[in-house]
Each structure stands twice: as structure tokens, then as C-alpha cells.
Amino acid sequence: MTAPAVLATGLCLQAAGRPIVDAVSFSVAAGEIFGIVGADGAGKSALLRLLTGQQRPSAGTLALFGRPAGDPQVRERLAYMPQVFGQYPDLSVRENLRFYAALHGLRGAAASAMVADLTARAGLRGFEQRRAGQLSGGMMQKLALACALVTRPRAIFLDEPTTGVDPVSRRAFWQLLEGVRAEGVAIVCATANMEEAERCDRIAMMRRGRFRHIGTALELIASVRSHLYLAAGAQGRALVPLLRARPEVELAFPVGRQARVWLPAGAAIAALQAAIPDVQFTPLAPGLHDVALRDLALQQEGGDA
């Protein structure tokens, strides 16, 4: 049996006596895109630092491709793309790629072939002479990924790779990732973007350093036992505080002049309708965005459902 690309068991990281990553366990197979979703401060970036060897865990074990995480042979098979653009803005696209190729021992014809291949794959052909600092946000991210691919990694770790990137560029970036995944590369992506999360094979919902749920998008949606309704009434946005004051309501969010309302399993919508008779409640099928927003609200309120 082939060893997973990533196998984490009980990973912990503490800072100032406080858990940042708390007993996280999961695995990622070759050719799988694994998403980590959570609010700012949930522990996503800290976990990626553990996975890429930038920090040592306080407890737990981590194996990459069946070998200890600190093995030098393992590190050569990893690539990491941080939130901050890490390439040289004064160098051109070609110069950045050749620089990274030289760092990894590629020169001459081998480096030229690598640069030509990655330029084409990343959709950067025609921009080879443009300085990195003059690229659009989407092009910058493509260059960053191309530089990460210089080593022909077998696992890539991405920290919110398309923050601030327009939807068209984000879609192009993920098409590039799909091509990388098709080559058997394992991809771990921390993101707060639900459109990106839905592209992942499996997703972990991270809250306060812990993985609360792991599964496909459909499995995560199905794991929520509460029921979602759209509430509409003449009160407009004033409807939200009325709903939040009701004991039947788990959470209520404004959506324009309407509201989305979560009721816990077993709560009777009839009681809420009787309490606020001039409001129309329509049941909704929640999406991943609804589930993530609910999880974030529960984190802020200290809930644990």
C-alpha cells in the first residue's frame, strides 16, 4: 500500500502556553486536494508551518511520503506558497524562474527547458520579460506557483493563495492546480474562500486550532443537523434582532432586507411563526458558505455545535 503524502497524528503547537494547533490528525493522498477552512486566527497558517517544517510541533507526529518530516529527502519533495508574494519584484518573470531553477541546481539547457515548460503551463507566455512587480495579482500568483513547481514537488502547501485576486484570475489559478493534481501531486490549501473550498476533494473545518469536521463539501453540509430558513417581513433589517431574541433561534444573519435563520434540530418553526406572525419563513437547502458562516458565528459566540 502506498503511504499517504501527508499523515499527521495529534499535531499540537503552543505559543505562550496557549494551543495554536490542537491535536490535529488527518491524511492526504497523492493527487488529492485537501482544503483547510477557518476564520482568521483559527490556526490554518500555523498548521501549514508545521507541515512544511518551518516549526516543530509541541506534540504529535508527522510523516510525509512515509518518512519522518525532518528527512532531507522529504523536504526536496515539498513546495510552499505563503500568503505574501515571495518572488523578486525587480526581476522579470523569466529571471525569477531561472533564479529558482539555479537555486535547485538547474542550469543551461535543463534550466531553459524548465522555464519554458513552466511559463507555458502557468499561462505566462508572452510575459517573460515583464517585471514581477508589474504583474497583476492573478499573474503574480501564477508566477509564485510556477516558482514553487521548479523542484517538481510531490506535495504543495498553499496559504490562501488567491486572496485579493479577481474571480477570473482565481478560476485560471485553480485550473492550473487541477493540472498539477492530475500529475499525482498532493495539494493542501488553506482558504477562507468557499468557492475554492468547494473545488477541494475533502475539506477540514478548523476552529480554535482544532479540526471540527473533515469530509467532502456534501458531507460537511449534511453533518449540520440544524435547519436553515429565509425570513422575510415588513420589518426589513430590524427583523434580525427580533429573531435573535427568540429562544427557538440558534443564529440569524441579515441578507439585504431579509434574514437567514438557523433553528436547532427539533425546534418547531410553528412556534417562531406564531411569535412573529407577519414574517414568512421559507426552508432553504444550505450550501458550504452557509455552513462556514454558521461555524464562524458559533466560534465568535463560544458555541461548539
Side-chain angles (χ1 to χ4, degrees):
M1 181 180 294
T2 303
V6 179
L7 179 60
T9 306
L11 275 189
C12 296
L13 178 66
Q14 290 196 342
R18 183 172 67 89
I20 307 300
V21 176
D22 192 2
V24 166
S25 299
F26 70 107
S27 64
V28 183
E32 180 180 17
I33 302 181
F34 186 87
I36 304 172
V37 175
D40 290 345
K44 304 188 300 296
S45 296
L47 176 58
L48 288 185
R49 290 196 298 271
L50 291 178
L51 298 178
T52 53
Q54 297 175 61
Q55 287 185 272
R56 295 178 62 86
S58 306
T61 60
L62 173 63
L64 303 170
F65 310 103
R67 303 178 70 89
D71 190 318
Q73 294 182 10
V74 166
R75 292 184 179 179
E76 294 175 359
R77 304 171 75 182
L78 308 181
Y80 172 60
M81 189 173 155
Q83 292 183 27
V84 179
F85 183 66
Q87 281 55 58
Y88 293 93
D90 291 336
L91 297 183
S92 69
V93 167
R94 184 191 304 276
E95 288 168 339
N96 267 288
L97 285 168
R98 291 195 71 91
F99 173 75
Y100 278 87
L103 281 180
H104 296 283
L106 288 176
R107 290 177 174 80
S112 297
M114 171 74 75
V115 169
D117 176 57
L118 290 175
T119 300
R121 290 175 62 191
L124 293 168
R125 186 172 287 167
F127 296 88
E128 293 92 339
Q129 302 305 323
R130 184 171 297 186
R131 289 186 178 184
Q134 296 175 338
L135 297 173
S136 67
M139 285 289 192
M140 281 186 174
Q141 295 306 85
K142 287 182 180 181
L143 174 58
L145 182 58
C147 289
L149 293 173
V150 163
T151 62
R152 300 294 190 197
R154 304 313 302 159
I156 299 178
F157 301 87
L158 310 172
D159 194 354
E160 302 199 20
T162 60
T163 299
V165 173
D166 67 87
V168 174
S169 296
R170 182 182 300 122
R171 193 176 306 118
F173 181 87
W174 274 84
Q175 288 174 348
L176 176 57
L177 282 184
E178 288 288 350
V180 173
R181 180 260 284 277
E183 298 173 356
V185 178
I187 300 172
V188 179
C189 179
T191 181
N193 184 288
M194 292 306 106
E195 179 184 343
E196 288 187 347
E198 288 175 340
R199 291 176 174 268
C200 299
D201 298 300
R202 288 186 301 139
I203 306 159
M205 301 288 288
M206 193 170 194
R207 186 175 354 137
R208 295 177 185 158
R210 284 180 171 268
F211 280 0
R212 302 294 174 168
H213 304 283
I214 299 178
T216 66
L218 291 177
E219 288 170 345
L220 293 183
I221 292 169
S223 71
V224 178
R225 295 183 177 86
S226 299
H227 303 290
L228 181 63
Y229 293 85
L230 179 68
Q235 300 92 335
R237 294 180 70 87
L239 178 60
V240 174
L242 293 176
L243 291 166
R244 289 175 175 170
R246 295 297 310 170
E248 303 93 343
V249 172
E250 179 182 70
L251 294 167
F253 305 101
V255 181
R257 294 183 58 81
Q258 300 173 325
R260 293 199 173 206
V261 185
W262 285 98
L263 298 185
I269 187 65
L272 189 56
Q273 288 174 320
I276 315 178
D278 55 344
V279 175
Q280 180 179 359
F281 293 91
T282 304
L284 297 175
L288 186 61
H289 178 79
D290 297 305
V291 171
L293 187 60
R294 173 181 176 271
D295 193 75
L296 173 59
L298 289 173
Q299 176 174 333
Q300 293 173 338
E301 294 187 4
D304 210 31

